[in-house]
């Protein structure tokens, strides 16, 4: 590789990167840091949260249907007739936003059932998970299976199942030219940076547009056509074909059961539209469903995507490294009392799935009501190793920043970081020792 110092200073933009020391902690190190009570699962306690979610959704729907009709000239006086329609639209918008958050809470409960964290009974877990996920149109078993693979191989470039980075070749970018850039992304010539921006079609408007598409339509696109999924799968891989490449032959029956669950959900939706009308079903269920899909992508995208998070080649991947290649973030948090209130509401509605994600990846059988204690203990242990995995609050502005800073990775290298639209990376990896220890075998 060419020496980057030999490049012309006038034509090369050089940056100083933060050093990332590749973790060499073991599974035993991580699990032993978590208090024993965090691994205890209670069907009764988990069910209380499930019932609470349905009660909250029902109460919110009742409130909307009862009081929004009072936004009418017969009951209140507004300065202009147009304001009545605008106020009703805003009120229904607030309902769909809140209901979407609560739907996300339902998803988390079903998600925990899929991990075996809802109960000690496998049968109870699968019954609850199937019913809850079918209610929101999720193929429970199919997603449970692919999601387990994601947990086992998080940030493994050829085996992870979701948010797999695009490469230079995927974008059709020019091949790595060591006369104008280096593999680490510390230096890129100004003319090459312009080429990158042109090929990537970087602009604020396009970023906002594609981020919107990803957030609101990314979840069904992933289920139906493997959008942002593992690239080694053939085209049109999805979560509904029982003989698809995601699944093993012995899982055929489970996928059929999942398909039946989603089929019943879809038929029920059609009957509801026929009986109540499209507008009524759209504002009470369909829009909250899109909001829940938004929250799911919004949360998981920011947990697994950041310029500071590593991605591993097969030869350097271990389970602990994968588990520690994600961030905890405060959902809709921020500075001041307003940020704390927003985070409290959102974290409560979604059972802390955004705030305790690292602990969840270390051991997915920890129920959400113990995840906070597990996070605190695990953070203390990781800080002793110099590992800090608290990301910025998960907000729309943060999602926009990530979308612009995480464009592609290189196709070579043991540990790779995203590069931005100018070909720059934020971190460079170094190994603490010369040997690579596959501590994941201890799992």
């Amino acid at each position: 590789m060419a020496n980057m110092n030999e490049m012309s200073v006038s034509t090369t933009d050089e940056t100083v990167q933060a050093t990332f020391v590749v973790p060499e902690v073991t599974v035993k190190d991580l699990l032993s840091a978590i208090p024993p009570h965090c691994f205890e699962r209670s069907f009764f306690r988990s069910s209380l949260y499930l019932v609470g979610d349905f009660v909250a959704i029902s109460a919110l729907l009742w409130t909307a249907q009862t009081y929004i009709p009072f936004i009418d000239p017969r009951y209140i006086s507004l300065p202009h007739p147009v304001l009545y329609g605008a106020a009703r639209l805003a009120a229904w918008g607030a309902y769909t936003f809140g209901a979407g958050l609560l739907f996300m809470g339902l998803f988390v409960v079903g998600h925990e059932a899929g991990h075996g964290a809802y109960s000690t009974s496998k049968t109870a877990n699968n019954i609850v998970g199937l019913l809850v996920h079918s209610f929101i149109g999720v193929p429970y078993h199919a997603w449970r299976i692919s999601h387990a693979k994601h947990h086992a191989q998080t940030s493994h470039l050829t085996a992870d199942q979701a948010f797999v980075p695009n490469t230079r070749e995927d974008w059709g970018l020019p091949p790595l030219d060591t006369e104008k850039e280096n593999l680490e992304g510390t230096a890129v010539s100004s003319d090459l940076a312009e080429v990158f921006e042109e090929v990537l079609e970087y602009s604020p408007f396009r970023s906002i547009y594609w981020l919107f598409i990803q957030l609101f339509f990314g979840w069904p696109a992933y289920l139906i056509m493997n959008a942002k999924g593992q690239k080694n799968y053939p085209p049109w891989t999805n979560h509904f074909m029982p003989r698809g490449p995601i699944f093993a032959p012995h899982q055929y029956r489970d996928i059929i059961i999942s398909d039946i669950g989603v089929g019943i959900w879809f038929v029920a939706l059609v009957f509801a539209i026929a009986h109540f009308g499209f507008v009524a079903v759209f504002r009470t269920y369909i829009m909250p469903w899109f909001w829940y899909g938004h929250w799911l992508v919004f949360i998981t995208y920011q947990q697994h995507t950041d310029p500071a998070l590593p991605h591993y080649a097969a030869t350097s991947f271990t389970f602990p490294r994968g588990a520690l290649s994600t961030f905890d973030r405060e959902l809709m948090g921020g500075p001041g009392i307003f940020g704390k209130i927003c985070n409290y509401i959102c974290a409560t509605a979604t059972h802390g799935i955004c705030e305790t994600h690292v602990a969840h990846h270390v051991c997915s059988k920890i129920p959400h009501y113990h995840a906070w204690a597990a996070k605190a203990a695990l953070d203390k242990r990781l800080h002793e190793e110099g590992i800090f995995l608290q990301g910025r609050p998960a907000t729309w502005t943060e999602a926009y920043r990530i979308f612009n800073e995480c464009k592609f990775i290189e196709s070579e290298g043991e540990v790779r970081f995203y590069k931005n639209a100018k070909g720059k990376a934020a971190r460079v990896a170094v190994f603490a020792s010369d040997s690579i220890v596959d501590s994941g075998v201890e799992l």
Side-chain angles (χ1 to χ4, degrees), residues 16-322:
V16 177
Q17 293 170 308
T19 298
F20 171 79
V21 180
V22 179
E24 295 201 10
V25 293
T26 66
V27 175
K28 182 179 179 181
D29 291 333
L30 298 175
L31 294 181
S32 63
I34 300 173
H37 79 273
C38 293
F39 301 101
E40 297 174 1
R41 296 161 287 168
S42 167
F43 177 86
F44 177 73
R45 187 170 180 180
S46 297
S47 297
L48 289 179
Y49 283 97
L50 176 58
V51 171
D53 286 341
F54 275 112
V55 168
I57 291 170
S58 300
L60 188 61
L61 177 59
W62 179 85
T63 301
Q65 292 182 321
T66 302
Y67 292 103
I68 292 178
F70 283 95
I71 305 176
D72 185 276
R74 294 172 295 174
Y75 307 107
I76 61 173
S77 177
L78 294 176
H80 195 279
V82 174
L83 295 178
Y84 292 99
R88 285 193 294 271
L89 182 64
W92 277 113
Y95 159 79
T96 63
F97 181 89
L101 265 177
L102 294 171
F103 276 31
M104 181 62 198
L106 281 179
F107 175 86
V108 172
V109 173
H111 154 263
E112 291 202 345
H115 280 297
Y118 188 93
S119 165
T120 56
S121 167
K122 182 178 179 180
T123 301
N125 284 326
N126 284 337
I127 290 175
V128 170
L130 180 65
L131 293 175
V132 172
H133 272 188
S134 294
F135 176 76
I136 50 177
V138 179
Y140 167 72
H141 285 296
W143 185 79
R144 170 182 64 80
I145 292 165
S146 69
H147 189 61
K149 291 183 177 182
H150 159 68
H151 268 260
Q153 298 165 316
T154 307
S155 295
H156 187 304
L157 285 166
T158 56
D160 199 357
Q161 302 294 303
F163 297 113
V164 179
N166 285 325
T167 64
R168 177 186 292 262
E169 290 75 16
D170 291 331
W171 279 110
L173 294 170
L176 184 70
D177 183 353
T178 55
E179 296 296 325
K180 296 183 177 181
E181 59 178 324
N182 61 3
L183 182 66
E184 295 78 12
T186 57
V188 182
S189 66
S190 56
D191 60 331
L192 186 58
E194 292 178 4
V195 171
F196 285 157
E197 289 189 316
E198 182 178 348
V199 174
L200 295 170
E201 298 181 311
Y202 170 72
S203 74
F205 175 79
R206 288 186 64 86
S207 294
I208 292 172
Y209 171 78
W210 284 112
L211 184 60
F212 174 85
I213 296 297
Q214 176 175 300
L215 291 178
F216 280 94
F217 300 98
W219 174 231
Y222 171 67
L223 294 176
I224 295 170
M225 54 189 296
N226 194 41
K228 292 298 290 182
Q230 180 49 240
K231 300 177 187 298
N232 289 333
Y233 291 145
W236 290 98
T237 293
N238 61 67
H239 281 71
F240 300 96
M241 294 191 303
R243 299 194 189 280
I246 298 176
F247 314 114
H250 71 275
Q251 296 165 336
Y252 183 94
R253 178 176 171 271
D254 286 342
I255 308 309
I256 293 295
I257 292 173
S258 295
D259 289 349
I260 292 172
V262 174
I264 293 172
W265 166 78
F266 184 78
V267 171
L269 201 57
V270 171
F271 271 95
I273 292 172
H275 183 75
F276 297 105
F278 177 77
V279 172
V281 176
F282 180 81
R283 68 190 182 191
T284 58
Y285 183 88
I286 296 177
M287 265 313 296
W289 184 85
F290 273 106
W291 268 115
Y292 126 74
H294 155 277
W295 289 118
L296 178 55
V297 176
F298 180 86
I299 291 169
T300 54
Y301 174 63
Q302 296 187 62
Q303 287 168 337
H304 291 285
T305 312
D306 194 276
L309 292 176
H311 299 269
Y312 294 97
T315 48
S316 61
F317 176 83
T318 68
F319 176 81
R321 288 173 184 168

